[in-house]
Amino acid sequence: VMQKFVAKRLKKIVVPSNSSIKDIKKEFHVDEYKMDRVMNGIDLNIFYPDSKIQKIPFKLVTVASSDVPLKGLDYLLEALSDLAKVYPNISLSIIGEQKKGGHTERLLKKLNLEKRVNFFSNLSQEDLRTTYCEAEIAVIPSLYEGFGFAAIEAMACGVPLISTSGGALPEVIKDTGIIIPPKNPKEIYNSIDLFLSSPDMAKELSEKALKRASSKFSWETIAKKLEKVYLKEIEIFKHANN
């Protein structure tokens, strides 16, 4: 309620995606002209392809705290269960915290995935990069993202990316990864299978994603865009008060 009250009274709102602009317009009844898109950035001194880190064959990585339905982890786990029948060495690293005794833990037992899935939380920056760089494929199964930091982190580490079309993710990824509908284990399965069976395609997309991450999402690039928004508003304020 307070956000809705405040949003209508702000002269300018900076948002990280066009998807967020649409959502804020719909939910908070704020005019589009009051909003400017400046996408988020990441530290490219932390996230980059690290040649010292060896890829682990058939290793997948995702970012999803367990038992958060919007992250879509259930659908990835269902796909992983079927993939294990074709790729016996397949495994998944989840950057996020596992809730003991929760829904995800029960699902892992049900799907017999306990030995294939590992959770990693409270990672150092170096360990976070290592977890990405060890993986052959990154998967973002979210039902909705207002932006999608995990997608850019994977792109910047040079990891081939599969993502749903939830929220702002297609804006972030563009044509540098495989984009699939949310809530669809079969599409997740097919996309992972495609990357594993087509390493040249995976390499081509990962290189394209790395280039996009480096050119569009460095903090320097984002800061310059944000500076333009501020300078424009300062000029408008000056003219209004002369």
Side-chain angles (χ1 to χ4, degrees):
V1 176
M2 182 55 70
Q3 286 180 331
K4 194 172 185 178
F5 176 83
V6 172
K8 288 181 181 179
R9 286 155 179 78
L10 295 174
K11 291 183 178 180
K12 180 63 64 178
I13 302 173
V14 178
V15 298
S17 65
N18 288 326
S19 174
S20 294
I21 289 176
K22 291 176 183 176
D23 292 339
I24 292 168
K25 180 182 178 182
K26 180 181 176 183
E27 297 297 328
F28 293 171
H29 308 293
V30 174
D31 291 330
E32 282 187 52
Y33 77 87
K34 284 189 170 186
M35 294 182 273
D36 277 351
R37 184 187 80 159
V38 178
M39 299 183 90
N40 290 314
I42 62 168
D43 190 339
L44 297 174
N45 293 314
I46 297 172
F47 299 100
Y48 59 86
D50 194 330
S51 59
K52 298 189 296 291
I53 299 170
Q54 194 163 356
K55 293 285 182 187
I56 298 175
F58 306 105
K59 170 76 75 176
L60 313 176
V61 66
T62 193
V63 177
S65 295
S66 64
D67 301 338
V68 179
L70 272 179
K71 294 298 181 182
L73 182 58
D74 285 13
Y75 305 100
L76 174 54
L77 294 179
E78 288 178 38
L80 182 64
S81 178
D82 289 333
L83 285 159
K85 298 166 188 173
V86 182
Y87 300 99
N89 294 323
I90 200 165
S91 63
L92 173 65
S93 295
I94 300 176
I95 299 170
E97 194 168 356
Q98 182 179 17
K99 184 179 178 182
K100 296 297 180 185
H103 164 78
T104 301
E105 188 175 283
R106 293 192 295 272
L107 183 60
L108 288 170
K109 288 179 181 178
K110 178 184 174 183
L111 297 174
N112 194 29
L113 292 174
E114 296 153 289
K115 294 181 180 179
R116 295 184 185 276
V117 176
N118 292 294
F119 285 82
F120 298 90
S121 58
N122 301 315
L123 296 175
S124 67
Q125 293 177 342
E126 186 177 344
D127 288 339
L128 183 57
R129 182 177 67 253
T130 297
T131 305
Y132 276 114
C133 290
E134 283 178 343
E136 282 205 271
I137 300 168
V139 186
I140 310 296
S142 300
L143 311 191
Y144 175 87
E145 293 285 349
F147 179 64
F149 274 107
I152 304 179
E153 290 168 357
M155 291 162 65
C157 288
V159 186
L161 180 63
I162 298 163
S163 169
T164 69
S165 57
L169 288 165
E171 288 178 63
V172 172
I173 298 158
K174 294 285 189 179
D175 59 349
T176 68
I178 297 176
I179 297 178
I180 59 176
K183 300 183 181 182
N184 199 317
K186 187 64 179 173
E187 288 290 343
I188 296 175
Y189 176 104
N190 289 340
S191 300
I192 293 171
D193 183 47
L194 178 60
F195 269 157
L196 290 175
S197 59
S198 310
D200 288 344
M201 176 192 176
K203 185 173 184 290
E204 181 183 344
L205 282 177
S206 68
E207 289 173 352
K208 201 172 180 181
L210 175 59
K211 186 176 179 181
R212 176 167 170 75
S214 300
S215 64
K216 299 291 185 183
F217 297 108
S218 72
W219 276 124
E220 183 180 0
T221 299
I222 300 303
K224 286 178 179 176
K225 290 183 178 179
L226 186 58
E227 182 184 45
K228 286 181 180 179
V229 174
Y230 278 104
L231 291 175
K232 182 180 176 183
E233 290 304 306
I234 289 169
E235 285 302 313
I236 291 172
F237 178 80
K238 283 180 179 178
H239 286 301
N241 288 274
N242 281 342

